[in-house]
Amino acid sequence: MLTVIEAINLTTDFFTKKQIESPRLNAELILSSVLGLKRLDLYLQFERPLNESEKTKYRELIKRRSEGEPIQYLMGFTEFYGEKFLVNSDVLIPRPETELLVEKIISENFTLEEIKILDIGTGSGNIPIMIKKNIPNAEITSIDISEKAIEIARKNEEIILKSNKINFLNLDIFDEEKLKSLEKFDIIVSNPPYVSEEEYPNLQIEIVNYEPKNAITDGKDGIEFYRQIEKNCMKLLNEKGKIYLEIGKDQENSILNLFDDDFFYKEKVKDYSDIYRILKLVRK
Ligand code: GLN
């Protein structure tokens, strides 16, 4: 017989040996998902035995986690800006840093205006969905090269906002013919793949082996997407249009240089590790 508390303790030791971060939390999250309980409710049922099918499911997930599969993919969701987002290996797992990007836009008090926003690289839909939730007037178009990502983003909008007002489009930002079909926007927002091809293999195995490569790296020097945004932004943005970007470590100067001619640099925001992570630019 294996009880809840025994399962948690055994797995915590196992994950510790396998150098999984936060071993006990991982064990508890996996067990709570197998048993269909909230994590804290496990504490009320420490002596509850696991039946055979629960044990089988639990072992399978423990094995996958110990091999490096991210806990968010195993659970099927992650939390972003206080909401639960469905995620699978077709989309990047939303990161806490990206909450700063959303926060920045929400804090700008656009609420009274009719405002048109273009989000480049939807992924799970985290950025447009949280903007729409907080700025209901916003008219948002959100594009992604991956049809599968768009499917997840649409589901997330349905679950979180109970609506389908965001215009999700399967469109590649590098496809300039198709970009012509887009109207003009007041705001462009993006958290593009900004890891260089060179740095990519050095990332954690959780990322390299499991997250979609094209959501992490541009396959070049890490600033290819910013170049592409710069190249097209005069066509895509209205007068006084603004751009909000998430960027990688130490990229701020090269990216600001790209936009130098047509944009004023307005603000840069640091993340929790003291790295410049968000840039705000305003059209001259
Ligand atoms: N917009 C999504 C996010 O910020 C996906 C970004 C990406 O795939 N690079 O999480």
Side-chain angles (χ1 to χ4, degrees):
M1 201 178 74
L2 183 72
T3 63
V4 163
I5 184 67
E6 285 164 353
I8 292 173
N9 287 338
L10 280 171
T11 310
T12 304
D13 289 347
F14 178 60
F15 281 164
T16 307
K17 278 193 207 105
K18 292 273 176 180
Q19 298 183 330
I20 301 288
E21 257 175 60
S22 312
R24 188 173 174 103
L25 177 63
N26 273 269
E28 291 180 1
L29 286 170
I30 291 172
L31 188 56
S32 63
S33 122
V34 168
L35 300 181
L37 294 172
K38 288 198 176 130
R39 182 169 68 90
L40 290 179
D41 289 341
L42 293 175
Y43 285 76
L44 304 174
Q45 309 202 20
F46 268 168
E47 301 306 326
R48 175 194 193 289
L50 274 67
N51 66 33
E52 279 312 310
S53 91
E54 290 164 346
K55 270 197 264 185
T56 311
K57 262 198 235 163
Y58 184 62
R59 276 200 207 101
E60 166 65 19
L61 293 179
I62 297 297
K63 178 163 173 284
R64 285 165 61 185
R65 182 70 196 93
S66 72
E67 287 163 355
E69 188 164 346
I71 186 82
Q72 295 88 341
Y73 289 155
L74 294 177
M75 310 282 293
F77 71 87
T78 194
E79 256 187 50
F80 181 82
Y81 218 87
E83 296 287 345
K84 261 187 172 185
F85 280 81
L86 300 179
V87 289
N88 65 21
S89 55
D90 293 320
V91 297
L92 184 86
I93 299 166
R95 305 294 204 273
E97 289 76 18
T98 309
E99 293 176 337
L100 299 170
L101 178 63
V102 170
E103 175 66 33
K104 182 73 210 148
I105 295 178
I106 292 173
S107 69
E108 303 266 40
N109 291 323
F110 293 123
T111 22
L112 298 176
E113 304 160 38
E114 178 86 339
I115 192 135
K116 291 198 163 94
I117 302 181
L118 173 65
D119 167 48
I120 299 168
T122 304
S124 61
N126 53 329
I127 296 176
I129 291 170
M130 292 324 295
I131 293 177
K132 183 76 183 163
K133 176 155 187 177
N134 288 279
I135 314 178
N137 293 348
E139 265 182 50
I140 310 181
T141 296
S142 197
I143 66 172
D144 202 290
I145 192 174
S146 156
E147 182 64 47
K148 287 185 171 163
I150 297 281
E151 271 171 37
I152 298 280
R154 286 211 175 98
K155 273 192 204 154
N156 277 322
E157 187 192 1
E158 253 174 63
I159 297 168
I160 295 165
L161 301 182
K162 314 215 166 12
S163 67
N164 43 24
K165 297 200 178 117
I166 298 170
N167 181 23
F168 288 110
L169 294 176
N170 182 205
L171 203 156
D172 174 3
I173 182 73
F174 290 91
D175 184 341
E176 294 189 12
E177 265 316 298
K178 288 219 180 117
L179 278 187
K180 287 186 191 149
S181 66
L182 296 177
E183 40 169 354
K184 286 206 169 203
F185 299 89
D186 303 305
I187 289 179
I188 291 176
V189 56
S190 186
N191 171 27
Y194 52 65
V195 175
S196 68
E197 178 73 18
E198 199 184 322
E199 285 169 273
Y200 179 75
N202 306 326
L203 302 175
Q204 294 159 274
I205 57 159
E206 269 91 346
I207 300 176
V208 177
N209 289 354
Y210 294 93
E211 297 199 69
K213 184 174 180 188
N214 68 355
I216 305 278
T217 175
D218 59 2
K220 302 213 165 81
D221 62 352
I223 62 171
E224 197 58 15
F225 278 77
Y226 305 100
R227 280 190 201 99
Q228 184 63 10
I229 292 172
E230 193 278 329
K231 190 168 163 208
N232 288 283
C233 64
M234 296 306 269
K235 282 174 266 168
L236 290 170
L237 270 185
N238 286 322
E239 296 279 311
K240 295 197 184 140
K242 302 180 182 73
I243 304 184
Y244 297 82
L245 300 170
E246 180 170 329
I247 63 168
K249 188 170 186 297
D250 296 330
Q251 290 177 335
E252 66 270 18
N253 291 331
S254 359
I255 295 170
L256 287 173
N257 280 340
L258 290 176
F259 286 92
D260 219 19
D261 289 345
D262 301 315
F263 283 79
F264 294 114
Y265 148 67
K266 272 291 176 191
E267 246 179 285
K268 43 187 176 183
V269 179
K270 281 187 170 172
D271 70 10
Y272 312 104
S273 321
D274 222 27
I275 290 166
Y276 286 115
R277 190 59 76 184
I278 312 295
L279 292 181
K280 172 181 172 184
L281 300 152
V282 180
R283 192 171 156 180
K284 280 183 186 165

